Amino acid sequence: MPDMRRHFHEDLAAMEQKLLLMGEKVQAVVAEASEALLTDHTGRADEVIAATSELDSAAIEFERHWLETMALQTPVAVDLRLMSVFMNCNHSINRIAHQATNIARLALATGFIPGSKPLDN
């Protein structure tokens, strides 16, 4: 395989790995945000907001890397389809992270409201 194509496929593998790591992180952040909302734990909500800020930066960096790869490597059809999937995944992960931020902000905004006890039958 020519050296440039090998570099291109290494870039694709790196992008895929980055998306997987971002996906794992956003999964953990959503769980933390939900836990913060259910337990009125404002400290966790603050951590979620900080973590989603990091995810936002990672998404921007991913998009920069994606655009650079598109411009410099001129992918063929099959690679272009894969790169399109990568960009859609990046967008979805970023949207999920923003939803986690919204959940965390709800936890902060409603933390002072007393909860209700479960009804026993």
Side-chain angles (χ1 to χ4, degrees), residues 36-37 40-47 49 101-113:
L37 182 62
D40 298 328
H41 197 286
T42 57
R44 279 188 174 173
D46 289 330
E47 291 171 12
I49 292 170
T101 299
N102 291 343
I103 293 169
R105 287 185 178 145
L106 280 172
L108 291 172
T110 61
F112 66 92
I113 298 173

Coordinates of all heavy atoms in Angstrom, one line a residue, residues 36-37 40-47 49 101-113:
A36 N -27.5 12.5 39.2 CA -27.5 13.8 39.9 C -29.0 14.3 39.9 O -29.4 14.8 41.0 CB -26.7 14.8 39.1
L37 N -29.7 14.1 38.9 CA -31.1 14.5 38.9 C -32.0 13.7 39.9 O -32.8 14.3 40.6 CB -31.7 14.4 37.5 CG -33.2 14.9 37.3 CD1 -33.3 16.4 37.6 CD2 -33.6 14.7 35.9
D40 N -30.6 14.5 43.7 CA -30.4 15.9 44.1 C -28.9 16.1 44.5 O -28.7 16.8 45.5 CB -31.3 16.3 45.3 CG -32.8 16.2 44.9 OD1 -33.1 16.4 43.7 OD2 -33.6 15.9 45.8
H41 N -28.0 15.6 43.8 CA -26.6 15.7 44.1 C -26.0 16.8 43.2 O -25.7 16.5 42.0 CB -25.9 14.4 43.9 CG -24.6 14.3 44.5 ND1 -23.5 15.0 44.0 CD2 -24.1 13.7 45.7 CE1 -22.4 14.7 44.8 NE2 -22.8 14.0 45.8
T42 N -25.9 18.0 43.7 CA -25.4 19.1 42.8 C -24.0 19.0 42.5 O -23.5 19.5 41.4 CB -25.7 20.5 43.5 OG1 -25.1 20.5 44.8 CG2 -27.2 20.7 43.7
G43 N -23.2 18.4 43.3 CA -21.7 18.2 43.0 C -21.6 17.4 41.7 O -20.7 17.7 40.9
R44 N -22.4 16.3 41.6 CA -22.3 15.5 40.4 C -22.7 16.3 39.2 O -22.2 16.2 38.1 CB -23.2 14.3 40.5 CG -22.6 13.2 41.3 CD -23.4 11.9 41.2 NE -22.8 10.8 41.8 CZ -23.3 9.7 42.0 NH1 -24.6 9.4 41.6 NH2 -22.6 8.7 42.5
A45 N -23.7 17.1 39.3 CA -24.2 18.0 38.2 C -23.1 18.9 37.7 O -22.9 19.1 36.5 CB -25.5 18.7 38.6
D46 N -22.4 19.5 38.7 CA -21.3 20.4 38.3 C -20.2 19.6 37.5 O -19.6 20.1 36.5 CB -20.7 21.0 39.5 CG -21.6 22.1 40.1 OD1 -22.4 22.7 39.3 OD2 -21.5 22.3 41.3
E47 N -19.9 18.4 38.0 CA -18.9 17.5 37.3 C -19.4 17.2 35.8 O -18.6 17.1 34.9 CB -18.7 16.2 38.1 CG -18.0 16.4 39.4 CD -18.0 15.2 40.2 OE1 -18.3 14.1 39.7 OE2 -17.6 15.3 41.4
I49 N -21.4 19.0 33.9 CA -21.2 20.2 33.1 C -19.8 20.4 32.7 O -19.5 20.7 31.5 CB -21.8 21.4 33.8 CG1 -23.3 21.3 33.9 CG2 -21.4 22.7 33.1 CD1 -24.0 22.3 34.8
T101 N -25.9 17.9 29.6 CA -25.7 19.2 30.3 C -27.1 19.8 30.7 O -27.2 20.3 31.8 CB -25.1 20.2 29.3 OG1 -23.8 19.7 29.0 CG2 -24.9 21.6 29.9
N102 N -28.1 19.6 29.8 CA -29.4 20.1 30.2 C -30.0 19.3 31.4 O -30.6 19.9 32.3 CB -30.4 19.9 29.0 CG -30.1 20.8 27.8 OD1 -29.4 21.8 28.0 ND2 -30.5 20.5 26.7
I103 N -29.7 18.0 31.5 CA -30.2 17.2 32.6 C -29.5 17.7 33.9 O -30.1 17.9 34.9 CB -29.9 15.7 32.4 CG1 -30.8 15.2 31.3 CG2 -30.2 14.9 33.7 CD1 -30.5 13.8 30.8
A104 N -28.2 18.0 33.8 CA -27.4 18.4 34.9 C -27.9 19.8 35.4 O -28.0 20.1 36.6 CB -25.9 18.5 34.6
R105 N -28.2 20.7 34.4 CA -28.7 22.0 34.8 C -30.1 21.9 35.5 O -30.4 22.7 36.4 CB -28.8 22.9 33.6 CG -27.4 23.3 33.2 CD -27.4 24.3 32.0 NE -26.1 24.7 31.7 CZ -25.6 25.0 30.5 NH1 -26.5 24.9 29.5 NH2 -24.4 25.4 30.3
L106 N -30.9 20.9 35.0 CA -32.2 20.7 35.7 C -32.0 20.2 37.1 O -32.7 20.6 38.0 CB -33.0 19.7 34.9 CG -33.8 20.1 33.7 CD1 -34.4 19.0 32.9 CD2 -34.9 21.1 34.1
A107 N -31.0 19.4 37.3 CA -30.7 18.9 38.7 C -30.3 20.1 39.5 O -30.7 20.2 40.7 CB -29.6 17.9 38.6
L108 N -29.5 21.0 39.0 CA -29.1 22.2 39.8 C -30.3 23.1 40.1 O -30.4 23.6 41.2 CB -28.0 23.0 39.1 CG -26.6 22.3 39.0 CD1 -25.7 23.1 38.1 CD2 -26.0 22.1 40.3
A109 N -31.1 23.3 39.1 CA -32.3 24.2 39.2 C -33.4 23.6 40.1 O -34.1 24.4 40.8 CB -32.9 24.5 37.8
T110 N -33.5 22.3 40.2 CA -34.5 21.8 41.0 C -34.0 21.1 42.3 O -34.8 20.5 43.1 CB -35.3 20.7 40.2 OG1 -34.4 19.7 39.9 CG2 -36.0 21.3 39.0
G111 N -32.7 21.2 42.6 CA -32.2 20.6 43.8 C -32.8 21.0 45.1 O -32.8 20.3 46.1
F112 N -33.3 22.2 45.1 CA -33.8 22.8 46.4 C -35.3 22.4 46.6 O -35.8 22.5 47.7 CB -33.7 24.3 46.4 CG -34.6 25.0 45.3 CD1 -35.9 25.3 45.6 CD2 -34.1 25.1 44.1 CE1 -36.7 25.9 44.6 CE2 -34.9 25.7 43.1 CZ -36.2 26.1 43.4
I113 N -35.9 21.8 45.6 CA -37.3 21.4 45.7 C -37.4 20.1 46.4 O -36.8 19.1 46.1 CB -38.0 21.3 44.3 CG1 -37.9 22.7 43.6 CG2 -39.4 20.8 44.4 CD1 -38.4 22.6 42.1

